[in-house]
Amino acid sequence: MLGISPPAAMNRRDLPGEYLATSMAGDADPARAVDACARALADHLKASGWVSGCPISATALETTGRVPAIEDAVAQVFRHGQDLVADTLRAAGFDEDNARELAITVINTLEGAELTAQVFRTETPLLVAGKHLALLIDACRP
């Protein structure tokens, strides 16, 4: 895994956020950090038997439009993930607009790839997402 080791709390249900935070803090290069996060998530999902995905996504799907307090909390979690990625991008020289848009793309892509990896019981969606997100970040690099 490119510069990151998984957190010690492998059995916790909030691991996607922890992997993202660890990855973003673990490598100043945002392309490598995002790819490392995708790899760590893929490894964790496989080790969990494909059941320990992002609880925030499931919560969002089950409560959006029905439980405003939970909907707000879920939005805060997604926003926090976007902020982690955007901060890393800004620190690497990206301007505010590009950092924010790329961060949204990263979070959306990783969430979708994680779900697809669980459905198909394979790391491939996350590994491909990490690889191509890294290419996108590099292509947008100032």
Side-chain angles (χ1 to χ4, degrees):
M1 285 186 285
L2 303 167
I4 141 178
S5 58
M10 287 297 288
N11 61 346
R12 293 193 42 191
R13 297 285 298 166
D14 60 348
L15 276 169
E18 287 185 27
Y19 280 125
L20 182 63
T22 301
S23 297
M24 294 297 102
D27 197 322
D29 182 279
R32 285 195 311 255
V34 167
D35 188 44
C37 181
R39 289 175 179 281
L41 287 170
D43 290 345
H44 173 72
L45 271 177
K46 183 177 181 180
S48 78
W50 311 104
V51 298
S52 188
C54 182
I56 301 305
S57 295
T59 302
L61 292 173
E62 293 298 320
T63 61
T64 298
R66 294 190 298 265
V67 186
I70 295 175
E71 188 176 344
D72 289 345
V74 167
Q76 287 177 15
V77 171
F78 280 121
R79 202 169 298 113
H80 178 67
Q82 292 170 358
D83 290 345
L84 287 171
V85 176
D87 290 347
T88 302
L89 291 164
R90 280 191 297 275
F94 286 78
D95 65 53
E96 179 61 35
D97 289 340
N98 282 330
R100 179 59 47 194
E101 290 178 2
L102 280 169
I104 291 168
T105 301
V106 166
I107 296 303
N108 291 348
T109 303
L110 289 176
E111 287 294 329
E114 184 178 44
L115 175 61
T116 306
Q118 283 185 275
V119 168
F120 287 104
R121 302 176 67 83
T122 178
E123 307 101 317
T124 302
L126 277 161
L127 298 178
V128 170
K131 174 185 172 183
H132 285 275
L133 285 169
L135 290 170
L136 175 63
I137 291 167
D138 282 338
C140 294
R141 197 178 294 274

